[in-house]
Amino acid sequence: MSYDAAPQEQFDRDGLSPLGTADPQADRQPSGPRPASSLKPWDRRRLDLHAALTAVGVPPLPGDMAAIRTLSALDDTVNAALVRWITAGH
């Protein structure tokens, strides 16, 4: 049994916009990862928490996302303390 490509994959492969017109960005080379400075502060804190948990062998479970989102909304000082506590023994 074969499956059609997901809509985004179809868009990328054909170089067409969702309306079927040529995508002017399709010819551009993909850019590298965005610089960290373009991340919103809460996104950076969320990634920091994920990285700290994963680094100590505690990969976040899907049900942990609400807690991580809530903690990421706190300021940088609180986030730094959380990361320090998580990674203290490593």
Side-chain angles (χ1 to χ4, degrees), residues 12 14 29-31 36-37 42-43 48 68 73 81-82 85-86:
D12 291 343
D14 293 342
Q29 292 295 324
S31 60
S37 62
W42 75 271
D43 280 328
D48 287 346
I68 290 172
L82 288 169
W85 296 340
I86 292 168

Side-chain angles (χ1 to χ4, degrees), residues 41-42 44-45 49 67-80 82:
W42 75 271
R44 182 183 40 76
R45 291 188 295 261
L49 286 173
I68 290 172
R69 277 193 305 271
T70 300
L71 293 169
S72 297
L74 301 173
D75 65 27
D76 285 336
T77 303
V78 173
N79 187 264
L82 288 169

Side-chain angles (χ1 to χ4, degrees), residues 36-63:
S37 62
S38 70
L39 290 175
K40 293 181 179 173
W42 75 271
D43 280 328
R44 182 183 40 76
R45 291 188 295 261
R46 180 179 50 81
L47 292 172
D48 287 346
L49 286 173
H50 271 278
L53 289 166
T54 303
V56 298
V58 183
L61 299 174

